[in-house]
Amino acid sequence: MHRLPLPLLLFLLCSRAQAGEITGGTESKPHSHPYMAHLEAVPPQDKPMTCGGFLIRRDFVLTAAHCAGRSIMVTLGAHNIKKKEDTWQKLEVIKHFPPPKYDDSIVRHDIMLLKLKERANLTLAMGTVPLAPQFNFIPPGRMCRVAGWGRTNVEEPGSNTLQEVKLRLMEPQACTHFTPFDHKLQLCVGSPHMTKSAFKGDSGGPLLCAGVGQGIVSHGQSDAKPPAIFTRISHYRPWIDKVLKEN
Ligand SMILES: *[C@@H]1O[C@H](CO)[C@@H](O)[C@H](O)[C@H]1NC(C)=O
């Protein structure tokens, strides 16, 4: 069946809540994911834009291309995004680096680098995460973990506290209803038999497998049934390394 891809900016978790299927996700131990970044558009837009992202260098955050906003503010070191703590560092984004061929009609190459105005100070609550190397093609079957401040209920604007859930990498056949699904560029994530453990992450958030960044939350179906599509980081390593080197 042909279904349009739906960017996971806000809708996925919203529909899931309507289906009464929350979740298998649990609140993260505060600051146990020190690379997590909370992204919001500034000044606030009519349609609120919040996304996840993750710190890969002291002055670079990785996120999804469809999270591009006019101007983005990044909060690092946060757990409850509504409750300011001493661990917070808020940093302005000074430059967006979308991938060379981003195609938002099919949400392909959904990856973006953000250069921060200052370098984040690394603390216990804040650090970078290693990314999968170019030839580390992670196979289906592995269990990985995603975290985010995504919506947990249709009436709620989003989860205040960081949530996380474990998800299985699926065979590409489980994602053939996404047109087009490209196994080289994307990951098919979340068992269709495990609706209760579907992810609660925001777009742009990281998928970590054994502590290594392998995926970026990209899009799902409008009826919110897993699996969902993540961008496969290893494919983009040459581009990421080039941008980091030149900036
Ligand atoms: C990092 O620490 C320095 C020195 O304490 C401070 O001036 C700077 O504002 C800090 N950077 C951020 C992003 O909080």
Side-chain angles (χ1 to χ4, degrees), residues 45 57 59 75 100 114 131 140 152 167 173 188 225 239 242:
Q45 323 261 301
R57 201 172 81 183
D59 57 351
T75 307
L114 300 174
L131 298 180
T152 58
L167 296 172
Q173 289 79 351
C188 178
K225 275 180 82 68
W239 170 73
K242 182 164 181 285

Side-chain angles (χ1 to χ4, degrees), residues 128-148:
T128 56
V129 70
L131 298 180
Q134 183 185 1
F135 298 108
N136 179 208
F137 190 86
I138 192 158
R142 295 277 298 274
M143 292 302 291
C144 302
R145 208 175 272 273
V146 64

Side-chain angles (χ1 to χ4, degrees), residues 3-8 12 64 66 106-110 146 167 169-183 185-190 199 202-205 207 215-221 225-232:
R3 294 192 185 88
L4 287 176
L6 182 73
L8 288 174
L12 176 70
H66 75 265
I106 53 169
V107 209
R108 177 180 279 189
H109 308 303
D110 195 8
V146 64
L167 296 172
L169 299 189
M170 306 303 293
E171 297 287 343
Q173 289 79 351
C175 278
T176 48
H177 53 284
F178 287 94
T179 33
F181 173 75
D182 190 330
H183 191 49
L185 310 176
Q186 298 169 321
L187 296 163
C188 178
V189 184
F199 84 93
D202 261 333
S203 281
L207 182 79
I216 303 172
V217 179
S218 178
H219 60 280
Q221 286 181 187
K225 275 180 82 68
I229 306 294
F230 287 55
T231 303
R232 186 185 284 275

Side-chain angles (χ1 to χ4, degrees), residues 53-128:
F54 45 114
L55 194 67
I56 58 163
R57 201 172 81 183
R58 286 181 63 191
D59 57 351
F60 263 99
V61 164
L62 192 56
T63 185
H66 75 265
C67 294
R70 258 181 312 191
S71 178
I72 294 178
M73 181 64 81
V74 170
T75 307
L76 297 163
H79 176 64
N80 182 333
I81 201 63
K82 294 279 151 64
K83 214 169 108 194
K84 194 169 186 310
E85 292 180 87
D86 291 341
T87 52
W88 282 24
Q89 289 179 43
K90 286 190 90 134
L91 292 155
E92 252 175 77
V93 170
I94 51 163
K95 194 161 179 202
H96 291 46
F97 296 88
K101 291 180 295 187
Y102 179 54
D103 181 347
D104 73 352
S105 62
I106 53 169
V107 209
R108 177 180 279 189
H109 308 303
D110 195 8
I111 184 170
M112 178 168 66
L113 283 160
L114 300 174
K115 171 114 198 244
L116 305 174
K117 190 172 176 182
E118 291 168 73
R119 284 146 65 98
N121 291 322
L122 302 188
T123 65
L124 281 180
M126 189 139 37
T128 56

